[in-house]
Amino acid sequence: NAGVTQTPKFQVLKTGQSMTLQCAQDMNHEYMSWYRQDPGMGLRLIHYSVGAGITDQGEVPNGYNVSRSTTEDFPLRLLSAAPSQTSVYFCASSLAGQGADTQYFGPGTRLTVL
Amino acid sequence: KNQVEQSPQSLIILEGKNCTLQCNYTVSPFSNLRWYKQDTGRGPVSLTIMTFSENTKSNGRYTATLDADTKQSSLHITASQLSDSASYICVVGSTLGRLYFGRGTQLTVWP
């Protein structure tokens, strides 16, 4: 199993540009989520999905869109990038998202918005 | 307010020594407590997960303890190695499905 994969690893955008961060998992996990990690802060939940076709907002959803058309893929779209979105983004998946399921994280995408 | 506080913020120890990291939480209703290890430039990796009924769990040289009454957890690392240098993150899950992340303790192991 490849686990959770993310692309790209690094990205530089100009303010106002849009882009999609890709996330895929091959463990047949129902629950997938996106986090951002900023210096000195804990990971913050952006959006999550409990299964194909179902998504919901997390703690910091503004400026981001998600979709879940398949179990494997959970892309994160930045609609109009802002410098405040400069961060490291992690995708994660787990079997069900409830209880004590182990959560698996991808390697992260480091995004810089100029 | 649901919060997870970790201490110390950073720690430096010599290779071969033991250390203990602390986690205090106010998350309610409590479901589980997790410890993750995050190497620089990598995603977090799960070390242990404990539910309400568990008060200790080990993973090799890592031993986590949980006191659900005082809402405290600790992660003890035995015979530290250079590869233990990383950020250790405490995460508390509520029964409502939400995870609350601490800011992490940055551990540096010197030779």
Side-chain angles (χ1 to χ4, degrees):
Chain A
N1 287 350
V4 180
T5 58
Q6 291 183 239
T7 56
K9 280 187 166 41
F10 302 94
Q11 183 71 48
V12 179
L13 293 178
K14 293 182 180 178
T15 297
Q17 287 184 315
S18 63
M19 78 159 296
T20 300
L21 280 62
Q22 301 291 345
C23 173
Q25 52 89 11
D26 61 358
M27 297 174 282
N28 203 31
H29 285 170
E30 290 294 327
Y31 186 88
M32 296 185 73
S33 51
W34 276 101
Y35 295 89
R36 60 178 289 174
Q37 186 175 41
D38 300 297
M41 300 185 72
L43 283 98
R44 291 182 292 169
L45 182 65
I46 304 172
H47 285 285
Y48 65 97
S49 168
V50 298
I54 306 169
T55 63
D56 207 345
Q57 296 181 351
E59 183 184 355
V60 287
N62 292 342
Y64 308 95
N65 271 358
V66 292
S67 60
R68 185 95 179 270
S69 56
T70 68
T71 299
E72 295 78 19
D73 300 298
F74 191 42
L76 178 73
R77 281 184 290 278
L78 279 70
L79 308 173
S80 177
S84 61
Q85 293 179 304
T86 293
S87 187
V88 181
Y89 291 85
F90 290 100
C91 178
S93 76
S94 60
L95 196 57
Q98 293 282 346
D101 289 332
T102 298
Q103 193 174 32
Y104 297 87
F105 284 83
T109 293
R110 185 174 296 274
L111 175 68
T112 301
V113 182
L114 303 175
Chain B
K1 185 178 180 181
N2 292 314
Q3 287 185 314
V4 177
E5 299 289 341
Q6 292 188 243
S7 62
Q9 189 173 352
S10 62
L11 180 63
I12 299 174
I13 62 174
L14 294 177
E15 187 179 14
K17 299 297 186 182
N18 304 335
C19 68
T20 300
L21 313 180
Q22 300 290 344
C23 174
N24 296 335
Y25 63 92
T26 58
V27 176
S28 181
F30 174 86
S31 172
N32 57 82
L33 187 142
R34 309 151 183 245
W35 283 95
Y36 287 88
K37 178 187 179 189
Q38 184 176 21
D39 293 316
T40 300
R42 310 288 289 271
V45 174
S46 180
L47 292 175
T48 63
I49 302 175
M50 290 180 291
T51 59
F52 185 87
S53 59
E54 298 172 297
N55 55 23
T56 187
K57 184 162 279 191
S58 292
N59 179 356
R61 294 179 295 102
Y62 300 100
T63 299
T65 63
L66 172 63
D67 186 334
D69 291 332
T70 62
K71 298 188 176 181
Q72 295 179 325
S73 176
S74 64
L75 181 69
H76 186 73
I77 304 174
T78 304
S80 60
Q81 300 176 358
L82 298 180
S83 59
D84 292 330
S85 293
S87 178
Y88 291 84
I89 303 171
C90 176
V91 183
V92 180
S94 76
T95 56
L96 304 177
R98 173 84 187 269
L99 294 177
Y100 296 86
F101 288 78
R103 298 183 180 188
T105 291
Q106 184 65 46
L107 174 66
T108 303
V109 181
W110 282 2

